[in-house]
Amino acid sequence: MNEVGRLLISLAFAGAGLTLAGGGVIWSMDEGRRVRRSLTRVLGEAPHALLVAHGRGKGLGFNFTANQLALTWDAGGWCLVYKIEELIGAELAVDGQVLARVWRGEARRALDMLRGADTQVTFRLIFDDAAHPDFVMDLWLPEDETRKGAMTSAEAVQEANRWIARIESLLRRPLPRREAPVVAPASAPPPPAAAAPPSPEPPVAAAPPRAVEPPPWEDDAEAFDDDDEADAIT
């Protein structure tokens, strides 16, 4: 009996441990927590404002201290980080029709009436980015009615309208002044090196004077003169 009791107690503890471990895994893998962890990682701290599209794996968060906005999708698998000044507008669409909108430098188009939706509630952000010009989040779809803890269509419209007001307050801020980059003046090219003077040519040695020999007829002339003088004497 004691052995059976110990076995039952061991099985109970093992079952409780497995239940706690499974619950911890499910808790950590919750879509909203994964989105929050991903945004916290790229922003450097917990988001100061957070919006999650449950069931779609998308979310966005602000870090007002660092003046940054982060987007994530695939339940935190991918992220993009922008400066807040790169955000140029936001739109709220209900059943494919834009009901509220705010753009930088323009007056806000306020939501006329709060009502639910039949097919879709969409919140869209627009950025000054040619590669990723916008980010669309479906805050409510018809299948959300059967999902536990999901917002109703009217609650999704109200939440998106609050974010339109938040985006408007950010777009009213003056853009930070960007200092022109300081470019160092181009240094003048060094002057060309002076050409080396030509080396003097070595002096040409003077040729030794040549001995001038008298022409052969001078000897004959002298001999002729001597004979003439002898004839004259005789």
Side-chain angles (χ1 to χ4, degrees):
M1 183 64 182
N2 292 335
E3 294 180 359
V4 174
R6 285 195 295 269
L7 178 60
L8 293 176
I9 293 174
S10 299
L11 291 176
F13 277 113
L18 290 175
T19 302
L20 291 175
V25 171
I26 294 174
W27 182 86
S28 63
M29 296 302 292
D30 177 73
E31 181 185 45
R33 293 184 178 88
R34 292 173 62 187
V35 168
R36 179 183 289 273
R37 285 198 303 268
S38 179
L39 293 175
T40 300
R41 183 178 67 254
V42 297
L43 291 174
E45 59 179 303
H48 300 155
L50 174 68
L51 178 63
V52 179
H54 292 281
R56 265 69 69 184
K58 291 186 175 182
L60 65 92
F62 283 95
N63 183 341
F64 299 121
T65 304
N67 197 39
Q68 289 182 333
L69 162 64
L71 311 174
T72 184
W73 61 97
D74 194 17
W78 300 90
C79 295
L80 280 176
V81 180
Y82 291 95
K83 289 290 186 181
I84 291 181
E85 56 263 27
E86 295 180 274
L87 177 64
I88 61 176
E91 293 178 347
L92 163 60
V94 177
D95 296 336
Q97 182 180 1
V98 177
L99 299 183
R101 177 174 57 201
V102 59
W103 287 81
R104 187 183 299 277
E106 296 183 5
R108 173 187 174 189
R109 177 183 173 183
L111 185 65
D112 295 333
M113 59 180 180
L114 295 175
R115 62 179 180 85
D118 296 328
T119 59
Q120 190 180 37
V121 177
T122 301
F123 182 65
R124 176 173 176 248
L125 296 178
I126 301 95
F127 296 93
D128 185 13
D129 182 6
H132 305 280
D134 63 354
F135 183 71
V136 180
M137 300 175 63
D138 291 325
L139 299 183
W140 182 87
L141 293 173
E143 56 263 27
D144 292 341
E145 294 182 354
T146 59
R147 187 163 51 84
K148 183 179 179 180
M151 293 187 295
T152 64
S153 61
E155 291 172 344
V157 171
Q158 293 175 7
E159 181 68 14
N161 192 45
R162 281 191 290 269
W163 274 85
I164 288 287
R166 179 178 283 118
I167 298 299
E168 181 186 19
S169 67
L170 293 174
L171 296 181
R172 285 180 177 177
R173 296 180 179 180
L175 293 175
R177 183 178 179 182
R178 297 183 179 179
E179 299 292 340
V182 179
V183 180
S187 57
S199 57
E201 297 182 359
V204 180
R210 296 177 57 187
V212 180
E213 297 180 358
W217 60 81
E218 290 186 0
D219 296 338
D220 296 341
E222 291 179 357
F224 177 78
D225 291 341
D226 293 341
D227 293 340
D228 290 342
E229 290 179 358
D231 293 339
I233 293 174
T234 56

